[in-house]
Amino acid sequence: HNSCVLTDKSRSNMPSSEHHHNAPAPNLPILDIQTWDTDPEKFAEQLRSACHNVGFFLLRHDLPPELVSRQLSVTRRFFDLSEEEKETISYEKNPYFRGYMRLGVENTGGVVDIREQLEFATEYPKRSDGDTSRLTPSNTSSMPPRPYERLKSCTNPWPDSVLPILRPCTEEYVRGILGVAHRLREAICVALGYQRNALNELFGSSTGQDDDPPHWFLKLISYPGQSDVDNAAQQQGVGAHTDTNFLTLVLQDYCGGLQVSTEGRWIDVPADNGPDLLVCNLGEQAEILTRGYFLATPHRVLHHTASTPRTSVPLFYNPKLSAVVRPIDEIVNASCTDKEPQPQQQQENSKNPKWERKVIDREGSHWRMEGNVHFDSVGGNTFKSLARSHPAIFLKLHPDLKMLASGEIAYR
């Protein structure tokens, strides 16, 4: 649901899977988050180049090794449980689109994704008048709450009865990886020529103590090994797509399969370093914020040929649900009337920051799903993506809502 997928028309613009290029395959940039602390200008320039030219990079993080290895281990333990145990927190019973999703439930581009997953998201403080205040009009207003507000109305469905260790491990990991995401967000601002706090208002409190913190999704994913699936060579782990969020940070094990489209071909994302490197990529929100200067890059997961399952833990990092996404220069200009002035920047993309990317085919270089409207409302776009990815759950558990032709969610 955090993705925008290919249509048949869009597919014609995508690189072929055949390796017919004579030039060596490009390597993904490798950055070190500690450089941001020791030499922020150097890191910001490395980040600018990676986000502008590729939209993907590998990040050497400073999370404790035992934290990331434990997260992969406990994730694996969950998927090794029986189907009955996993179904105790089934996604299909959860109106807030959280919980366990069995193998083959999701699809990308009309093709079934061969993976099972467990999904969590931001938990919001309860209001003094109770959670139901988010679902029904308040006494002080005649207007019903915006439909996306109900995404704030639940806690995460932890499998405490079958694997109690998953909750404390995952919550500790989320705190750590959000810290990395916040630092990358600040570095992105500097990379674009702004102060590091330029997007603070868009993302809300980094501590999560307020009512509208950054909205994140966390997926614990298992791609089964070849021996577990018939005709594995014809299957996809997840089809080609771009992410719709701001920034994605993926923790992965040593099994490969993730591929990125860059310079007209698919390249493999190395997994040799496993959890020592995070795989990071930008989503469509970052592309909108930078007027296309940064890339939301297509990627996919092939069904890998190893006999052991591939385990990954992506975190999808978003602004707060109430935020409106627009170009960063507009955000800054609107907020600096009585604040310290920001540098005048990006009046022309070709000058500052410098444009390096070769633009061969502007129509084909940034494909989007036909008919897909990316709303500037983070909450509206988030709910739309969830409802489109899981129409049965939406229809069954939100009978008072409907989806318009544009994808907008409205009351019946």
Side-chain angles (χ1 to χ4, degrees):
H1 60 259
N2 293 289
S3 62
C4 196
V5 299
L6 288 169
T7 60
D8 289 338
K9 178 181 177 182
S10 303
R11 286 182 193 278
S12 64
N13 294 320
M14 290 300 296
S16 167
S17 297
E18 300 295 326
H19 296 283
H20 58 268
H21 298 78
N22 294 323
N27 294 319
L28 291 183
I30 301 178
L31 282 65
D32 190 327
I33 192 65
Q34 291 190 341
T35 308
W36 174 238
D37 301 323
T38 59
D39 191 346
E41 285 190 13
K42 177 181 178 181
F43 183 83
E45 170 55 24
Q46 293 172 341
L47 185 63
R48 182 206 63 78
S49 177
C51 295
H52 172 62
N53 290 299
V54 187
F56 257 82
F57 58 93
L58 301 173
L59 183 71
R60 191 168 298 281
H61 58 81
D62 54 4
L63 298 173
E66 62 273 14
L67 176 67
V68 293
S69 61
R70 187 174 67 222
Q71 183 59 46
L72 287 174
S73 175
V74 75
T75 297
R76 186 75 261 138
R77 284 179 61 184
F78 175 81
F79 291 113
D80 287 342
L81 294 172
S82 69
E83 200 65 26
E84 182 181 4
E85 289 173 312
K86 290 181 285 192
E87 287 284 355
T88 59
I89 53 169
S90 172
Y91 201 92
E92 296 179 12
K93 304 171 187 174
N94 191 298
Y96 312 104
F97 305 96
R98 306 180 189 201
Y100 169 69
M101 200 180 306
R102 66 184 183 276
L103 191 71
V105 169
E106 269 201 326
N107 74 82
T108 303
V111 180
V112 172
D113 295 328
I114 304 301
R115 63 177 181 176
E116 55 181 331
Q117 58 194 23
L118 177 57
E119 184 160 334
F120 304 114
T122 304
E123 291 187 321
Y124 292 83
K126 291 185 178 181
R127 291 186 176 174
S128 57
D129 54 350
D131 281 351
T132 53
S133 66
R134 302 189 191 279
L135 300 176
T136 57
S138 66
N139 295 330
T140 59
S141 172
S142 59
M143 290 293 293
R146 287 160 294 196
Y148 73 76
E149 288 283 340
R150 61 185 64 185
L151 297 176
K152 300 179 177 182
S153 302
C154 78
T155 54
N156 284 317
W158 299 102
D160 292 337
S161 63
V162 292
L163 190 63
I165 195 175
L166 183 73
R167 178 174 185 168
C169 286
T170 303
E171 288 181 335
E172 184 180 357
Y173 175 74
V174 166
R175 285 192 294 271
I177 197 70
L178 283 177
V180 176
H182 297 327
R183 289 152 78 190
L184 285 175
R185 182 190 86 209
E186 292 181 341
I188 284 171
C189 293
V190 175
L192 292 167
Y194 296 99
Q195 295 181 17
R196 62 175 65 196
N197 64 356
L199 292 176
N200 279 14
E201 190 173 333
L202 198 69
F203 280 81
S205 169
S206 295
T207 64
Q209 297 303 309
D210 64 13
D211 193 47
D212 209 6
H215 191 78
W216 53 264
F217 294 96
L218 184 80
K219 289 190 177 189
L220 280 55
I221 304 176
S222 175
Y223 299 91
Q226 187 174 29
S227 58
D228 299 327
V229 179
D230 295 332
N231 302 317
Q234 281 74 50
Q235 305 285 6
Q236 65 182 24
V238 62
H241 66 282
T242 52
D243 292 347
T244 62
N245 56 300
F246 175 72
L247 175 67
T248 305
L249 304 92
V250 182
L251 176 69
Q252 64 174 357
D253 63 10
Y254 296 94
C255 294
L258 178 59
Q259 290 190 326
V260 175
S261 170
T262 185
E263 296 185 18
R265 74 176 92 181
W266 289 104
I267 65 169
D268 294 323
V269 174
D272 300 349
N273 293 96
D276 293 342
L277 297 178
L278 294 169
V279 183
C280 303
N281 67 278
L282 300 178
E284 291 169 19
Q285 290 175 3
E287 196 169 281
I288 292 169
L289 276 160
T290 63
R291 300 183 185 272
Y293 183 75
F294 283 173
L295 284 173
T297 301
H299 51 285
R300 66 187 183 186
V301 177
L302 300 181
H303 185 74
H304 64 286
T305 56
S307 58
T308 55
R310 166 183 163 86
T311 304
S312 69
V313 183
L315 180 122
F316 302 90
Y317 181 63
N318 294 278
K320 58 188 181 182
L321 286 177
S322 65
V324 173
V325 175
R326 51 186 174 150
I328 186 172
D329 55 298
E330 294 182 12
I331 294 171
V332 170
N333 291 337
S335 66
C336 69
T337 50
D338 56 355
K339 298 177 183 176
E340 184 178 347
Q342 297 274 347
Q344 289 300 311
Q345 186 271 342
Q346 207 164 316
Q347 297 301 317
E348 299 179 42
N349 274 337
S350 60
K351 289 185 178 179
N352 186 16
K354 57 188 174 184
W355 189 280
E356 300 167 335
R357 209 165 59 230
K358 293 179 181 177
V359 182
I360 302 169
D361 174 11
R362 278 198 179 274
E363 293 301 315
S365 60
H366 296 284
W367 52 261
R368 293 288 176 267
M369 184 171 69
E370 278 186 28
N372 182 72
V373 179
H374 196 294
F375 303 128
D376 56 7
S377 161
V378 173
N381 208 62
T382 299
F383 203 177
K384 175 205 72 173
S385 297
L386 289 164
R388 269 190 169 169
S389 294
H390 306 284
I393 293 175
F394 176 69
L395 287 171
K396 178 182 178 182
L397 301 181
H398 297 276
D400 60 323
L401 299 178
K402 62 181 178 180
M403 180 180 288
L404 307 179
S406 65
E408 182 181 357
I409 306 300
Y411 287 96
R412 290 187 181 277

